[in-house]
Structure formats: structure tokens, C-alpha cells
Amino acid sequence: MAFPPVREELRGLEPYGAPQLDVPVQLNVNENPYAPSDAVVADVAEAVAGATRTLNRYPDREFLELRTALAAYLGHGVRAEQVWAANGSNEVMLQLLQAFGGPGRTALSFAPTYSMYPEYARDSNTEWVAGRREEDFALDLDAARALVEERRPSVVLLPSPNNPTGTALPPEAVSMLCEAVGDDGIVVVDEAYGEFRREGTPSALELLPTHRNLVVSRTMSKAFALAGARLGYLAADPAICDAIRVVRLPYHLSAVTQAVALTALRHAPELLGNVELLRQERDRTVAWLRAQGLQVAESDANFCLFGTYPDRHAVWQGLLDRGVLVRETGPEGWLRVSIGTPEEMTAFQHALTSVTEEGVR
């Protein structure tokens, strides 16, 4: 056997990750472009200093104070015992697959979908099944129900807004899938971009009292502008949280992470103050792209998917050559641009116009 003796299904694979390139305008990983204010920075520094004085001890492994604060932020009657958190929503998802997936079990989603989902399934030895979305990236509810009834998944993963398309799921789709899965599995609605929803687009949190197999996940990486803090969380039936506690690593959430997250929640109104600006900039970007004759998926996120191009890589490279980094992801022919500041989006528009005028398609 070749060295190192890695699992056969991992042999030759490259680790997940978007390109990390030093360019003036970085619009490829859906970060919030607005850094925390000096007041937030000062409060976080004070909280971290306090946590540092206790670093000779293990952190609170149940982090009840943070769970209580997250429940209060979510509202909808969510209680602390219904909340779980980890190092980014990526770890939350992996813990869900560790608890509810595994050998002989299936995880299911509908493509195009978040590219890490099949990796969570692979890493937990869970079979991966991907159905298809419609041309406008919505779900065909009859086809989705039929696939669930055929494959009987233990975990259904539904990003809403969807990554990479930005498409939000209607409540009836979530309810239908929860009913189709029943007590044989869980339905995870991944609302990583939930705070960016357009007016009138509901959250799956409203459905938690109705479906005990429903999990709604969130992150502080996007709307809270805390991608570097790595804090993701979920709301679900307490029994689901208890199952995750069985597979979580001991003391998985550091005292520093807990302190940062608690401070950020105390500053939630300020940190979320730029969400409306990003929504407006997203809608302007969508309108501008469509005015250029491009297709743009309906978006409730802080990014938009646009195209289509016979050679999307050439367009991606043309933008990069002009100092603008976007993401080459999603169905063939499409590109995804994160929403940045007005100045960054103007630079993106100028770069894309220049690429188009050169005849790159």
C-alpha cells in the first residue's frame, strides 16, 4: 500500500477551499465586507482578556450562557435546551452527520447545493444522494417527495437561501419534506444566509413547533461579520441536541470563542446594521447584471449567481486579471459574486464590462 495509508476513498483528493488570492476586490467567499466597529473591537478585546485569565481551566462544555443568548436572538419561542453551537456551521453539520448518518444510512440534498455537504457525508461514511432542482433552482415538490420516499434518507440537507444560487425555500417545501421523512430521519434547513432574506421571505424557525424532526442552522460568519470567530449554531428539538452531545469532542467550544460570540450578541443591533445595506446592494447588482442581458438567479443571500457563459473560466480569469476575484461554482456556465461595499461592486461592474467588451464570453 502506498504511503500514507489513508482511507481509500480519500486517496488523491484535494482539500476543500476557495482560492485565497491577494487581489484588491475579493468577492468570492460571501464574507461581510464591513469590519466590526472600534467599540465592538474594544468590548471583544475586554471579553477575551477576561477569558484568557481562565485559560488554565477547560471551558464550560455545555456553554449554557451562550445557548441562552443565541435562543434569545433567534426568538420564535426557542429555548436554550433547543440550541447547539460549534466551530462554524461546518462543524455543526458534521456533528449532525456523525449523530444521524453513518454506515448504512443516507444523506440527501438537491443539486446545485453547498459543495461541502457530500464531504460531510463522505467523512461520516454516509451514502450521499443528490436530487435535482428545476431550471430556476426551485424544488419540484412532487419529485422531491418521491426521491425521499424512494431513498429513505436519515438526513436531508436543505440550504435556504441556497448556496450557490441564493434561492429560498417556501415553508410548504420544508413541511412536506419533514412529513415525508417522518421519524426515520431529520431535515436540516441551513440558514447560513438567513438574515439577508428579502422582506416577506419566512424563516424555517417558524416551523420548529410543528416538526420535531426539523433542524434550523445559522452562523455568525455572515450577517454578524464574524467569519474569523468560527461560531455556528442550530435550533432543534432538545432530543436532537442531546444526540449531538454524544458525538461532540470534549470542550469543543473554547472559552475565547464563547466570550467573542457572547459579546457579538450583545452588539447584535450594530453588527447587523449593515445587513440592509448589503440587501440593497444585492438588489442593485441583480438589476445591473440583468440589464447587461445576463441571467441572474433570484437571491435572498449576500451573493448572486449569474451567467451563463460558454467559457466561464475565461470570464473568471478576466475578472481576476482586473483585480476582482469571484467564485467559479455552481452549474456549468455560471459564476457567483459576493456582495461587497458599493465601491467594490462598482469595481466589479467595471471589470465585468471590460471583460465583456474584450469579447470574453
Side-chain angles (χ1 to χ4, degrees):
M1 178 181 290
F3 187 85
V6 68
R7 286 164 42 191
E8 191 59 39
E9 65 270 26
L10 302 182
R11 191 173 300 281
L13 296 183
E14 294 292 328
Y16 170 87
Q20 293 189 96
L21 304 174
D22 186 13
V23 298
V25 181
Q26 299 184 24
L27 302 172
N28 69 323
V29 290
N30 305 334
E31 294 164 326
N32 190 320
Y34 297 103
S37 70
D38 289 344
V40 174
V41 170
D43 279 1
V44 168
E46 183 178 351
V48 170
T52 302
R53 296 186 181 94
T54 70
L55 290 185
N56 59 310
R57 303 293 185 185
Y58 286 113
D60 175 5
R61 65 172 176 262
E62 300 301 331
F63 50 95
L64 186 57
E65 184 182 4
L66 177 56
R67 292 163 75 182
T68 300
L70 287 167
Y73 167 69
L74 288 175
H76 294 88
V78 173
R79 307 182 308 278
E81 60 265 32
Q82 293 179 268
V83 174
W84 186 253
N87 294 284
S89 57
N90 304 100
E91 187 177 39
V92 169
M93 293 293 172
L94 182 58
Q95 289 175 338
L96 284 167
L97 267 293
Q98 289 173 321
F100 297 98
R105 295 189 168 203
T106 298
L108 183 150
S109 190
F110 299 90
T113 191
Y114 183 37
S115 55
M116 276 297 297
Y117 290 163
E119 297 198 19
Y120 303 144
R122 178 201 68 199
D123 293 348
S124 59
N125 288 303
T126 307
E127 182 186 7
W128 172 250
V129 173
R132 302 298 305 177
R133 290 173 176 260
E134 298 188 89
E135 288 297 314
D136 64 354
F137 306 123
L139 281 186
D140 179 326
L141 299 192
D142 292 335
R145 178 189 287 275
L147 184 61
V148 166
E149 291 175 347
E150 175 191 352
R151 301 307 301 259
R152 305 310 307 169
S154 297
V155 181
V156 176
L157 296 166
L158 300 167
S160 180
N162 186 38
N163 183 4
T165 68
T167 317
L169 285 171
E172 56 267 26
V174 177
S175 288
M176 180 276 290
L177 288 166
C178 286
E179 292 164 3
V181 170
D183 288 345
D184 294 335
I186 61 171
V187 174
V188 184
V189 178
D190 181 356
E191 292 190 346
Y193 303 93
E195 286 92 345
F196 297 102
R197 302 187 316 276
R198 289 173 291 183
E199 193 72 28
T201 302
S203 167
L205 289 167
E206 299 175 7
L207 301 174
L208 279 174
T210 306
H211 304 290
R212 67 179 182 180
N213 62 346
L214 175 61
V215 177
V216 182
S217 71
R218 291 281 184 94
T219 182
M220 298 186 81
S221 294
K222 312 301 182 182
F224 274 86
L226 287 179
R230 309 308 300 130
L231 196 288
Y233 57 102
L234 62 76
D237 187 283
I240 291 176
C241 295
D242 287 344
I244 298 170
R245 290 170 63 239
V246 174
V247 301
R248 62 103 168 92
L249 294 174
Y251 310 105
H252 73 289
L253 210 55
S254 77
V256 171
T257 298
Q258 293 180 44
V260 171
L262 280 164
T263 305
L265 287 165
R266 287 194 290 272
H267 285 271
E270 178 186 343
L271 287 170
L272 296 172
N274 291 313
V275 166
E276 183 56 33
L277 294 176
L278 291 167
R279 284 194 193 115
Q280 294 172 7
E281 196 62 43
R282 172 198 64 207
D283 294 342
R284 283 192 290 268
T285 301
V286 168
W288 182 84
L289 287 166
R290 287 175 175 165
Q292 312 312 303
L294 294 165
Q295 297 181 61
V296 187
E298 295 290 342
S299 179
D300 280 278
N302 68 332
F303 58 82
C304 54
L305 191 73
F306 67 98
T308 58
Y309 297 102
D311 187 353
R312 70 172 176 183
H313 183 72
V315 178
W316 178 88
Q317 186 64 56
L319 291 170
L320 181 61
D321 293 343
R322 290 159 176 81
V324 177
L325 178 61
V326 300
R327 189 73 180 270
E328 190 175 1
T329 188
E332 190 60 39
W334 295 81
L335 293 168
R336 192 192 70 197
V337 60
S338 307
I339 303 304
T341 64
E343 295 76 17
E344 288 173 328
M345 300 317 294
T346 297
F348 162 71
Q349 292 175 14
H350 289 165
L352 187 59
T353 298
S354 175
V355 170
T356 302
E357 289 174 349
E358 281 196 3
V360 180
R361 299 281 182 183

